[in-house]
mmCIF file of all heavy atoms in Angstrom:
data_model
loop_
_atom_site.group_PDB
_atom_site.id
_atom_site.type_symbol
_atom_site.label_atom_id
_atom_site.label_comp_id
_atom_site.label_asym_id
_atom_site.label_seq_id
_atom_site.Cartn_x
_atom_site.Cartn_y
_atom_site.Cartn_z
ATOM 1 N N VAL K 212 157.720 130.524 200.719
ATOM 2 C CA VAL K 212 157.490 130.577 199.255
ATOM 3 C C VAL K 212 158.079 129.309 198.613
ATOM 4 O O VAL K 212 159.046 128.730 199.075
ATOM 5 C CB VAL K 212 158.199 131.832 198.642
ATOM 6 C CG1 VAL K 212 157.535 133.106 199.174
ATOM 7 C CG2 VAL K 212 159.660 131.841 198.884
ATOM 8 N N ALA K 213 157.479 128.922 197.523
ATOM 9 C CA ALA K 213 158.045 127.859 196.657
ATOM 10 C C ALA K 213 157.962 128.374 195.248
ATOM 11 O O ALA K 213 157.075 129.149 194.886
ATOM 12 C CB ALA K 213 157.207 126.580 196.826
ATOM 13 N N VAL K 214 158.911 127.974 194.406
ATOM 14 C CA VAL K 214 159.040 128.546 193.097
ATOM 15 C C VAL K 214 159.112 127.510 191.990
ATOM 16 O O VAL K 214 160.152 127.279 191.415
ATOM 17 C CB VAL K 214 160.318 129.445 193.035
ATOM 18 C CG1 VAL K 214 160.274 130.355 191.797
ATOM 19 C CG2 VAL K 214 160.431 130.298 194.283
ATOM 20 N N PRO K 215 158.045 126.767 191.708
ATOM 21 C CA PRO K 215 157.997 125.882 190.543
ATOM 22 C C PRO K 215 157.353 126.560 189.352
ATOM 23 O O PRO K 215 157.236 127.781 189.288
ATOM 24 C CB PRO K 215 157.196 124.704 191.036
ATOM 25 C CG PRO K 215 156.297 125.309 192.074
ATOM 26 C CD PRO K 215 156.936 126.575 192.592
ATOM 27 N N ALA K 216 156.889 125.770 188.356
ATOM 28 C CA ALA K 216 156.251 126.328 187.175
ATOM 29 C C ALA K 216 154.822 126.729 187.495
ATOM 30 O O ALA K 216 154.273 126.396 188.520
ATOM 31 C CB ALA K 216 156.274 125.272 186.070
ATOM 32 N N ARG K 217 154.164 127.459 186.544
ATOM 33 C CA ARG K 217 152.876 128.031 186.822
ATOM 34 C C ARG K 217 151.839 126.984 187.172
ATOM 35 O O ARG K 217 151.095 127.114 188.140
ATOM 36 C CB ARG K 217 152.372 128.844 185.605
ATOM 37 C CG ARG K 217 151.048 129.519 185.932
ATOM 38 C CD ARG K 217 150.447 130.200 184.692
ATOM 39 N NE ARG K 217 149.276 130.982 185.124
ATOM 40 C CZ ARG K 217 148.362 131.438 184.247
ATOM 41 N NH1 ARG K 217 148.496 131.198 182.954
ATOM 42 N NH2 ARG K 217 147.343 132.134 184.661
ATOM 43 N N GLN K 218 151.720 125.919 186.351
ATOM 44 C CA GLN K 218 150.713 124.900 186.643
ATOM 45 C C GLN K 218 150.952 124.259 188.002
ATOM 46 O O GLN K 218 150.008 123.992 188.745
ATOM 47 C CB GLN K 218 150.694 123.826 185.565
ATOM 48 C CG GLN K 218 149.589 122.817 185.706
ATOM 49 C CD GLN K 218 149.676 121.695 184.693
ATOM 50 O OE1 GLN K 218 150.241 120.641 184.956
ATOM 51 N NE2 GLN K 218 149.114 121.939 183.511
ATOM 52 N N THR K 219 152.225 124.039 188.342
ATOM 53 C CA THR K 219 152.540 123.461 189.651
ATOM 54 C C THR K 219 152.180 124.418 190.775
ATOM 55 O O THR K 219 151.642 124.015 191.816
ATOM 56 C CB THR K 219 154.027 123.108 189.718
ATOM 57 O OG1 THR K 219 154.347 122.204 188.649
ATOM 58 C CG2 THR K 219 154.353 122.433 191.043
ATOM 59 N N VAL K 220 152.480 125.712 190.553
ATOM 60 C CA VAL K 220 152.138 126.724 191.584
ATOM 61 C C VAL K 220 150.648 126.709 191.858
ATOM 62 O O VAL K 220 150.193 126.738 193.016
ATOM 63 C CB VAL K 220 152.590 128.125 191.123
ATOM 64 C CG1 VAL K 220 151.863 129.230 191.884
ATOM 65 C CG2 VAL K 220 154.075 128.272 191.323
ATOM 66 N N LEU K 221 149.838 126.681 190.818
ATOM 67 C CA LEU K 221 148.375 126.681 190.970
ATOM 68 C C LEU K 221 147.907 125.411 191.694
ATOM 69 O O LEU K 221 147.036 125.465 192.570
ATOM 70 C CB LEU K 221 147.706 126.816 189.641
ATOM 71 C CG LEU K 221 147.777 128.219 189.011
ATOM 72 C CD1 LEU K 221 147.403 128.167 187.543
ATOM 73 C CD2 LEU K 221 146.909 129.232 189.778
ATOM 74 N N ALA K 222 148.499 124.255 191.331
ATOM 75 C CA ALA K 222 148.129 122.997 191.988
ATOM 76 C C ALA K 222 148.526 123.012 193.451
ATOM 77 O O ALA K 222 147.777 122.567 194.313
ATOM 78 C CB ALA K 222 148.740 121.823 191.244
ATOM 79 N N VAL K 223 149.716 123.533 193.763
ATOM 80 C CA VAL K 223 150.167 123.607 195.119
ATOM 81 C C VAL K 223 149.245 124.498 195.955
ATOM 82 O O VAL K 223 148.865 124.199 197.097
ATOM 83 C CB VAL K 223 151.619 124.075 195.222
ATOM 84 C CG1 VAL K 223 152.039 124.389 196.643
ATOM 85 C CG2 VAL K 223 152.559 123.018 194.603
ATOM 86 N N ALA K 224 148.891 125.681 195.405
ATOM 87 C CA ALA K 224 147.982 126.570 196.069
ATOM 88 C C ALA K 224 146.631 125.888 196.324
ATOM 89 O O ALA K 224 146.051 126.022 197.409
ATOM 90 C CB ALA K 224 147.770 127.861 195.297
ATOM 91 N N GLY K 225 146.168 125.119 195.355
ATOM 92 C CA GLY K 225 144.912 124.397 195.532
ATOM 93 C C GLY K 225 145.011 123.378 196.637
ATOM 94 O O GLY K 225 144.109 123.258 197.470
ATOM 95 N N MET K 226 146.091 122.628 196.659
ATOM 96 C CA MET K 226 146.260 121.605 197.707
ATOM 97 C C MET K 226 146.381 122.281 199.097
ATOM 98 O O MET K 226 145.740 121.824 200.065
ATOM 99 C CB MET K 226 147.487 120.792 197.450
ATOM 100 C CG MET K 226 147.297 119.584 196.564
ATOM 101 S SD MET K 226 146.023 118.434 197.176
ATOM 102 C CE MET K 226 146.634 118.050 198.818
ATOM 103 N N LEU K 227 147.131 123.346 199.198
ATOM 104 C CA LEU K 227 147.355 123.991 200.500
ATOM 105 C C LEU K 227 146.038 124.571 201.046
ATOM 106 O O LEU K 227 145.857 124.658 202.272
ATOM 107 C CB LEU K 227 148.378 125.074 200.387
ATOM 108 C CG LEU K 227 149.851 124.636 200.397
ATOM 109 C CD1 LEU K 227 150.786 125.727 199.914
ATOM 110 C CD2 LEU K 227 150.246 124.147 201.794
ATOM 111 N N ASN K 228 145.133 124.974 200.184
ATOM 112 C CA ASN K 228 143.846 125.520 200.622
ATOM 113 C C ASN K 228 142.755 124.447 200.825
ATOM 114 O O ASN K 228 141.629 124.781 201.169
ATOM 115 C CB ASN K 228 143.368 126.563 199.615
ATOM 116 C CG ASN K 228 144.203 127.820 199.656
ATOM 117 O OD1 ASN K 228 144.616 128.266 200.718
ATOM 118 N ND2 ASN K 228 144.447 128.425 198.483
ATOM 119 N N SER K 229 143.120 123.206 200.609
ATOM 120 C CA SER K 229 142.130 122.140 200.717
ATOM 121 C C SER K 229 141.983 121.662 202.157
ATOM 122 O O SER K 229 142.860 121.872 203.017
ATOM 123 C CB SER K 229 142.529 120.951 199.852
ATOM 124 O OG SER K 229 143.654 120.283 200.392
ATOM 125 N N THR K 230 140.841 121.008 202.423
ATOM 126 C CA THR K 230 140.636 120.429 203.744
ATOM 127 C C THR K 230 141.683 119.358 204.026
ATOM 128 O O THR K 230 142.123 119.158 205.143
ATOM 129 C CB THR K 230 139.206 119.849 203.807
ATOM 130 O OG1 THR K 230 138.270 120.905 203.686
ATOM 131 C CG2 THR K 230 138.977 119.104 205.134
ATOM 132 N N TRP K 231 142.086 118.622 202.989
ATOM 133 C CA TRP K 231 143.043 117.534 203.152
ATOM 134 C C TRP K 231 144.367 118.089 203.684
ATOM 135 O O TRP K 231 144.988 117.449 204.543
ATOM 136 C CB TRP K 231 143.245 116.793 201.870
ATOM 137 C CG TRP K 231 141.986 116.618 201.070
ATOM 138 C CD1 TRP K 231 141.732 117.057 199.814
ATOM 139 C CD2 TRP K 231 140.750 116.007 201.507
ATOM 140 N NE1 TRP K 231 140.490 116.734 199.394
ATOM 141 C CE2 TRP K 231 139.820 116.107 200.419
ATOM 142 C CE3 TRP K 231 140.342 115.397 202.663
ATOM 143 C CZ2 TRP K 231 138.546 115.625 200.498
ATOM 144 C CZ3 TRP K 231 139.031 114.928 202.770
ATOM 145 C CH2 TRP K 231 138.125 115.031 201.690
ATOM 146 N N ALA K 232 144.829 119.244 203.165
ATOM 147 C CA ALA K 232 146.077 119.818 203.632
ATOM 148 C C ALA K 232 145.932 120.280 205.072
ATOM 149 O O ALA K 232 146.873 120.177 205.867
ATOM 150 C CB ALA K 232 146.468 120.983 202.722
ATOM 151 N N ARG K 233 144.775 120.847 205.413
ATOM 152 C CA ARG K 233 144.575 121.323 206.775
ATOM 153 C C ARG K 233 144.753 120.204 207.764
ATOM 154 O O ARG K 233 145.428 120.313 208.794
ATOM 155 C CB ARG K 233 143.177 121.955 206.930
ATOM 156 C CG ARG K 233 142.931 122.508 208.310
ATOM 157 C CD ARG K 233 141.703 123.389 208.283
ATOM 158 N NE ARG K 233 140.452 122.684 208.175
ATOM 159 C CZ ARG K 233 139.744 122.209 209.221
ATOM 160 N NH1 ARG K 233 140.172 122.443 210.462
ATOM 161 N NH2 ARG K 233 138.630 121.592 209.038
ATOM 162 N N VAL K 234 144.178 119.033 207.451
ATOM 163 C CA VAL K 234 144.261 117.889 208.343
ATOM 164 C C VAL K 234 145.690 117.320 208.330
ATOM 165 O O VAL K 234 146.257 117.003 209.366
ATOM 166 C CB VAL K 234 143.244 116.806 207.964
ATOM 167 C CG1 VAL K 234 143.409 115.557 208.773
ATOM 168 C CG2 VAL K 234 141.825 117.354 208.115
ATOM 169 N N PHE K 235 146.193 117.147 207.142
ATOM 170 C CA PHE K 235 147.511 116.458 206.967
ATOM 171 C C PHE K 235 148.633 117.273 207.648
ATOM 172 O O PHE K 235 149.440 116.758 208.406
ATOM 173 C CB PHE K 235 147.809 116.291 205.461
ATOM 174 C CG PHE K 235 149.123 115.614 205.159
ATOM 175 C CD1 PHE K 235 149.203 114.242 205.152
ATOM 176 C CD2 PHE K 235 150.245 116.381 204.924
ATOM 177 C CE1 PHE K 235 150.401 113.626 204.882
ATOM 178 C CE2 PHE K 235 151.456 115.761 204.618
ATOM 179 C CZ PHE K 235 151.529 114.395 204.620
ATOM 180 N N LEU K 236 148.682 118.614 207.374
ATOM 181 C CA LEU K 236 149.751 119.403 207.874
ATOM 182 C C LEU K 236 149.642 119.691 209.367
ATOM 183 O O LEU K 236 150.614 119.737 210.099
ATOM 184 C CB LEU K 236 149.863 120.721 207.098
ATOM 185 C CG LEU K 236 150.235 120.608 205.619
ATOM 186 C CD1 LEU K 236 150.241 121.963 204.939
ATOM 187 C CD2 LEU K 236 151.577 119.932 205.457
#
Side-chain angles (χ1 to χ4, degrees):
V212 297
V214 194
R217 184 188 187 195
Q218 186 184 94
T219 304
V220 161
L221 287 166
V223 170
M226 273 303 304
L227 280 165
N228 288 323
S229 71
T230 297
W231 322 121
R233 182 166 72 91
V234 175
F235 181 86
L236 295 178

